[in-house]
Amino acid sequence: TGAGQGIGRALAVALAEAGANVAVVDRNGETAKSTAQEIGALGVESLAIETDVTQTDEVNKMVDQVTSKWGPLNIAVNNAGIAIRSPAESIPDDDWDAVLNVNLKAVYLCCRAEAQVMLEQKSGSIINLVSMSAQVANRPQLHAHYNASKAGALQLTRSCAAEWANRGVRINSISPGHMLTPMTENCTEEEKAQWIANTPMGRNGEPSDLQGAVVFLASDAASYITGHDLVVDGGYTLW
């Protein structure tokens, strides 16, 4: 999900390069088609699906489309997310609802629909994109609702992992650090410089830095790993 641009696009391409057929899901149908075309050129099959992942009926329809085309659902990556800034003491109700709906409710809706297929087939790997913000209140940006949503998604991942571990379905999460994506392109140079100053590796991340993590967690190389949060942050959470 959210594979039309940024991190989601990079993850979709990485899975395609590893040999997977990939359904590119995004609320923006045009960017979904663009990523799907790029994936098709890699010699695997692709499918673009325009979906609002906050809506149960659309999520269920999306999973049905994937299984109707390819049969088993082997890998699911729930990546769609948004961020809105506001001091904690004055977050508007609408902003709170929007962030929690996309970053937490939608993750659950997708996990539920995906797991219903995977549990039936007794196999599958689900990967949720969380954030190091599930563990730290990173600075200087103020977005307590974003941090809360990501912490919720992390605990949701762990809870589902415990329930599904003996039924053939693994579910893990990836927690990126500060990434240079379309979602962060409007941040000031001063903010980006502060992120770098707070990162031991001395640079901000690129979506490509997450590609190895998603392929690993999706693959049989991670067959004994579930409920794990793989932090990819250049060491940010060390300080």
Side-chain angles (χ1 to χ4, degrees):
T1 67
Q5 63 178 8
I7 290 173
R9 175 192 161 278
L11 302 183
V13 169
L15 291 168
E17 289 176 340
N21 297 326
V22 182
V24 179
V25 180
D26 202 285
R27 65 180 179 180
N28 184 325
E30 292 306 311
T31 58
K33 289 177 184 177
S34 176
T35 301
Q37 289 171 353
E38 181 179 358
I39 286 171
L42 297 173
V44 297
E45 295 182 35
S46 63
L47 177 66
I49 307 175
E50 183 175 341
T51 302
D52 180 350
V53 290
T54 67
Q55 301 300 312
T56 296
D57 57 342
E58 293 197 32
V59 169
N60 292 341
K61 181 180 177 181
M62 173 263 291
V63 172
D64 287 344
Q65 284 183 259
V66 175
T67 56
S68 294
K69 183 174 179 64
W70 290 314
L73 178 62
N74 302 310
I75 302 162
V77 181
N78 301 314
N79 162 78
I82 62 171
I84 303 174
R85 298 190 183 194
S86 179
E89 70 273 15
S90 57
I91 298 172
D93 288 358
D94 287 348
D95 287 356
W96 175 275
D97 290 344
V99 170
L100 270 290
N101 278 342
V102 176
N103 294 358
L104 182 54
K105 177 185 175 182
V107 172
Y108 171 67
L109 295 181
C110 290
C111 285
R112 181 177 65 185
E114 294 151 0
Q116 287 172 357
V117 174
M118 292 180 175
L119 290 168
E120 179 69 23
Q121 64 194 28
K122 298 181 181 180
S123 66
S125 174
I126 298 173
I127 302 157
N128 293 330
L129 267 290
V130 187
S131 172
M132 65 177 182
S133 296
Q135 303 181 35
V136 297
N138 61 63
R139 53 189 178 174
Q141 62 273 29
L142 303 176
H143 47 30
H145 44 341
Y146 178 85
N147 299 344
S149 71
K150 292 299 186 177
L154 175 57
Q155 188 63 5
L156 172 67
T157 302
R158 291 169 54 84
S159 298
C160 292
E163 291 192 28
W164 301 337
N166 65 350
R167 300 166 69 189
V169 177
R170 297 186 300 107
I171 176 168
N172 295 285
S173 59
I174 297 174
S175 281
H178 287 297
M179 294 280 152
L180 299 177
T181 69
M183 194 166 76
T184 61
E185 65 184 5
N186 293 325
C187 297
T188 67
E189 292 305 314
E190 290 77 11
E191 287 176 319
K192 293 175 183 177
Q194 185 167 348
W195 298 344
I196 291 172
N198 290 331
T199 302
M201 289 187 72
R203 69 174 178 88
N204 290 316
E206 299 282 353
S208 59
D209 290 314
L210 302 169
Q211 290 179 311
V214 76
V215 172
F216 168 65
L217 290 175
S219 75
D220 288 342
S223 62
Y224 199 54
I225 298 174
T226 196
H228 178 68
D229 183 42
L230 180 51
V231 180
V232 185
D233 68 349
Y236 187 100
T237 52
L238 296 173
W239 288 346

